[in-house]
Amino acid sequence: MKAKKIIYQIILITLMALWIPISLDKFINYELFKSAMIQQPFSDQLGMFLAYTLPPLELAVGLLFIMPKTRIWAFSLSSLLMVAFVAYVGLAVLKVWGKIPCGCGLVFHQLGWVAHLWLNIGFLLISLFGLWLELSFLKHHSPINRIIENNASGDITSLQVNSGSPTATELKTSPRLQKE
């Protein structure tokens, strides 16, 4: 279990290190990014929409990883964005549109399309694995699973149920059972 938590922390740091700098680079070099979006092989309206929405969305994804309660959203959005990017770059590798300017910025604009595709696939797998770990941690720590674990451990004299409120309810066995 400890190795799982270490891997989870590495994934969190990796994805924050992906989304936050990439979004900040797009904000800093916004005019260049907007120009690249307009030159993409889709309508100018979609290009403008993406130019306005991608940087804040990517920053939000990176920041959602900070708070434990929002990590499920962060992993889900990261996975969805990476699916979209893998599909887009995959189509570029297949030369569906011919030459496409990359609006990625940072290091990624220097990559070839095939390398960019592999990098995106890697980040997609990292995002999906992080989502799977997050879901397994949430399942393991749910109130129902705590009840099951407490019962399975043989502790029938007290059982704690965490309802999400600051105080936990303690259920005790009847006095008749305690005497036996």
Side-chain angles (χ1 to χ4, degrees):
M1 185 65 152
K2 188 169 178 103
K4 212 176 187 183
K5 288 185 180 184
I6 291 170
I7 292 169
Y8 177 78
Q9 291 299 319
I10 291 169
I11 290 172
L12 282 176
I13 292 166
T14 300
L15 291 175
M16 285 192 314
L18 168 72
W19 293 115
I20 294 172
I22 283 177
S23 64
L24 292 177
D25 181 64
K26 288 175 182 170
F27 280 118
I28 292 167
N29 299 305
Y30 182 72
E31 290 303 318
L32 181 65
F33 173 69
K34 184 170 78 170
S35 173
M37 287 293 100
I38 293 171
Q39 294 175 34
Q40 298 300 317
F42 34 73
S43 71
D44 287 354
Q45 292 84 7
L46 180 57
M48 287 302 293
F49 175 77
L50 292 173
Y52 288 119
T53 58
L54 274 180
L57 180 60
E58 292 172 349
L59 182 59
V61 170
L63 295 176
L64 285 171
F65 282 112
I66 294 171
M67 296 184 305
K69 289 184 178 185
T70 60
R71 287 182 184 155
I72 190 79
W73 284 100
F75 283 117
S76 299
L77 289 170
S78 180
S79 297
L80 285 172
L81 282 172
M82 291 314 302
V83 164
F85 295 157
V86 165
Y88 182 73
V89 174
L91 291 172
V93 167
L94 295 173
K95 298 185 187 322
V96 171
W97 300 294
K99 186 178 179 189
I100 302 170
C102 182
C104 305
L106 287 175
V107 174
F108 304 122
H109 76 280
Q110 296 176 2
L111 291 176
W113 284 104
V114 174
H116 199 149
L117 178 63
W118 283 111
L119 184 72
N120 284 357
I121 289 170
F123 280 116
L124 172 59
L125 293 174
I126 289 169
S127 295
L128 289 171
F129 188 57
L131 179 60
W132 177 78
L133 286 172
E134 181 69 23
L135 289 171
S136 72
F137 291 147
L138 288 174
K139 180 182 174 190
H140 180 70
H141 295 292
S142 73
I144 298 296
N145 283 338
R146 284 189 207 137
I147 292 170
I148 293 168
E149 287 171 8
N150 284 337
N151 281 338
S153 69
D155 184 12
I156 60 170
T157 58
S158 74
L159 176 65
Q160 291 187 358
V161 179
N162 186 351
S163 63
S165 63
T167 61
T169 306
E170 186 172 324
L171 302 175
K172 295 186 178 182
T173 58
S174 69
R176 182 180 63 82
L177 290 175
Q178 289 177 352
K179 290 179 186 176
E180 294 175 357

